Amino acid sequence: MLEKYCKGLIDLSNHEAIGFIDSGVGGLTVVKEALRQLPNERLIYLGDTARCPYGPRPAEQVVQFTWEMTNFLLKKNIKMLVIACNTATAVALEEIKEQLNIPVVGVILPGTRAALKATKKNRIGVIGTAGTIKSNAYEKALKSKAPNTFTTSLACPKFVPIVESNEFYSSVAKKIVSETLAPLQIKELDTLILGCTHYPLLRPLIQNVMGNQVKLIDSGAETVSEVSMLLDYFDIANTPLHDNEQHEFFTTGSAKMFKAIADDWLNLETIEIEHIRLGEVKHD
Ligand code: DGL
């Protein structure tokens, strides 16, 4: 069990935080679920907004950026790492979990499990960034668990910039979503995996285009269930949060834009966002 999640295990304190990383605000969709399912846990989030999107970048660069985010959070003594980004999970999860001494969880396997649980006709679509779709990670995972499943994938490179610019309620967003997803409308899918953590913010628009007969899968809920199971398994769950145990949010981009989206999405009473720089620390 242990080696499925990390190289080994340091002596972990139950009071340390769970770390979440993403290329920008997308991982907040996973954090939202963590706040709901794990109210006793302290969370630390880092979004690399300054270098978002990761989707069109070469895999080696995404691996390097993911290490930089990971190293930043390791300095905060996190007890578990959630790679709340499909693009980073697809190319960096294996390498990172092989080298860390804390459990590391990605979002692709949980998304796959949730889709297989939901489908009735075994016709599953996957939408994601260019990097995730190119990696074939979802199709491989779906086929390995259920070989008879029909799968089809579509890269949606215009979706992440809409979300990062906080324009997901605009008419432009509606038009882009509808044009991009048109090829999927004829595939007779009953399940569609939102294979990018930014996409749940576009959920109403995507649902509208795909129709109510298509079940949309957001891997956040299933990912957090896995985190919850691991907290129990490794006996590192926190006791109720103390007043001095605050969630922390960091971005490499505009703290103002990040706060606007986080306030709207998370409904937390107060959120302080701190701007940080990445790129100087190299993993060796
Ligand atoms: N939120 C990310 C994902 O789940 C990445 C989006 C991007 O930076 O392109 O894939």
Side-chain angles (χ1 to χ4, degrees):
M1 175 83 165
L2 180 67
E3 62 282 4
K4 280 191 99 50
Y5 291 96
C6 49
K7 181 175 83 176
L9 215 50
I10 43 161
D11 199 7
L12 297 164
S13 156
N14 300 42
H15 290 287
E16 298 300 353
I18 303 173
F20 291 78
I21 53 176
D22 179 50
S23 62
V25 293
L28 293 177
T29 61
V30 186
V31 163
K32 188 180 173 92
E33 197 48 45
L35 291 168
R36 197 178 70 78
Q37 287 189 41
L38 301 168
N40 287 344
E41 296 300 328
R42 189 163 65 84
L43 315 178
I44 305 183
Y45 185 90
L46 170 58
D48 192 8
T49 318
R51 300 187 291 192
C52 188
Y54 279 12
R57 294 181 184 276
E60 310 77 62
Q61 196 175 41
V62 175
V63 172
Q64 183 202 326
F65 291 177
T66 309
W67 268 118
E68 287 170 9
M69 290 194 286
T70 300
N71 286 332
F72 176 83
L73 289 189
L74 287 176
K75 292 206 182 98
K76 306 247 163 226
N77 293 327
I78 52 168
K79 63 183 175 186
M80 196 184 297
L81 175 68
V82 181
I83 304 184
C85 172
N86 291 265
T87 314
T89 298
V91 297
L93 173 68
E94 289 307 312
E95 175 178 326
I96 289 181
K97 71 184 183 189
E98 272 167 24
Q99 295 191 43
L100 294 203
N101 286 317
I102 54 170
V104 185
V105 177
V107 282
I108 291 182
L109 271 182
T112 304
R113 281 198 297 267
L116 289 171
K117 221 190 275 177
T119 187
K120 296 215 163 56
K121 295 197 305 187
N122 284 335
R123 295 186 70 82
I124 302 178
V126 183
I127 53 174
T129 66
T132 301
I133 300 304
K134 193 165 152 232
S135 77
N136 253 330
Y138 271 105
E139 299 222 11
K140 279 189 216 145
L142 288 164
K143 293 281 188 210
S144 77
K145 287 184 188 294
N148 293 333
T149 308
F150 167 84
T151 60
T152 182
S153 299
L154 181 70
C156 305
K158 292 185 177 162
F159 287 9
V160 168
I162 303 176
V163 173
E164 286 289 333
S165 56
N166 202 0
E167 280 176 42
F168 39 94
Y169 298 122
S170 70
S171 54
V172 178
K174 201 169 165 190
K175 185 162 178 281
I176 288 176
V177 170
S178 147
E179 284 172 3
T180 309
L181 297 182
L184 291 183
Q185 286 175 309
I186 50 163
K187 303 275 186 188
E188 296 179 17
L189 305 173
D190 75 343
T191 305
L192 180 66
I193 299 176
L194 306 182
C196 169
T197 52
H198 282 73
Y199 296 178
L201 288 123
L202 296 168
R203 189 182 188 113
L205 300 183
I206 297 172
Q207 189 76 69
N208 195 33
V209 174
M210 295 306 297
N212 285 336
Q213 74 289 357
V214 177
K215 182 126 177 65
L216 301 186
I217 303 298
D218 158 0
S219 57
E222 192 81 12
T223 302
V224 174
S225 301
E226 184 165 344
V227 169
S228 176
M229 181 273 291
L230 291 173
L231 290 171
D232 290 339
Y233 183 82
F234 293 117
D235 199 15
I236 50 173
N238 199 8
T239 47
L241 268 185
H242 297 133
D243 286 347
N244 60 349
E245 294 181 322
Q246 303 285 340
H247 304 308
E248 292 175 76
F249 294 87
F250 298 92
T251 175
T252 57
S254 153
K256 198 170 160 215
M257 180 69 94
F258 191 99
K259 184 167 164 49
I261 299 173
D263 279 344
D264 183 36
W265 187 247
L266 298 180
N267 287 320
L268 281 175
E269 258 171 40
T270 47
I271 305 183
E272 296 295 328
I273 319 283
E274 196 178 315
H275 172 84
I276 58 133
R277 293 167 72 91
L278 283 181
E280 287 101 35
V281 199
K282 264 208 148 52
H283 180 78
D284 50 26

